Amino acid sequence: MALKSTVYKAELQIADIDRGYYQTHALTIARHPSETDERMMIRLLAFALHASESLGFGKGLSDTDEPDLWEKDLTDAIQLWIEVGQPDETRIRKACNRAGRVAIFPYGGHATQVWWSGVANKVERHRHLEVVAVDAASSTALAALAQRSMRLQVTIQDGEIWIGDDTRRVAIVLQPLKPAERQSVRP
């Protein structure tokens, strides 16, 4: 008998001062049986950092054809593809070929550095790829906030990120491994 996903509910109040984005999102998150609290919370972090009305969760671990999060336009074209963890070069290339922008959020401390040293030179040519590692202490503290029902506040200002609930607050440290090149805006 296959194990079913566990459903988590999150009310995410986002104040992204850097982007001028202020919104509350009521999210339903299906946590795959093999997914950890840490990974699920990194997905929430990725959502907060790229939040929009059209950003949504993919099927994630249960479907290899979908990312963890994605944003599609009205024609169903993928504008943004977000991966959490350490995808292989083939998956990164697939994402870069299908989406206008790709963001990867690896985590896990030393394992992230080992993974990145193995794929960095193979994916550097993808101009619209951004890779941002989540600090090990940050991801562990973030995992401690996980509950079946969550009310979280996210504040982003001057590149600093804070996530908390009613009793705890976590500073998130990100390490840019590969910034996406800025795309020119068409008039």
Side-chain angles (χ1 to χ4, degrees), residues 4 8-9 20 23 45 52 57-58 71 77 80 84 103 108 114 123 137 170 178 183 186:
K4 293 185 177 187
Y8 284 72
K9 300 281 187 176
Q23 194 67 255
L45 169 65
S52 73
F57 292 99
E71 181 176 21
L80 174 62
V84 171
V114 172
V123 299
V170 175
K178 182 193 180 303
Q183 297 175 359
R186 295 182 186 166

Side-chain angles (χ1 to χ4, degrees), residues 139-155:
S139 65
T140 301
L142 194 56
L145 293 174
Q147 297 178 31
R148 293 286 300 272
S149 181
M150 299 177 271
R151 290 187 65 201
L152 300 172
Q153 299 83 36
V154 180
T155 304

Side-chain angles (χ1 to χ4, degrees), residues 1-2 5 10-11 23-24 47 58 61 64 73 79 87 101 112 143 177-179:
M1 185 164 105
S5 293
E11 180 182 296
Q23 194 67 255
T24 298
F47 184 95
L61 294 175
T64 58
D73 66 14
Q79 299 299 308
R101 293 181 336 177
T112 294
L177 299 177
K178 182 193 180 303

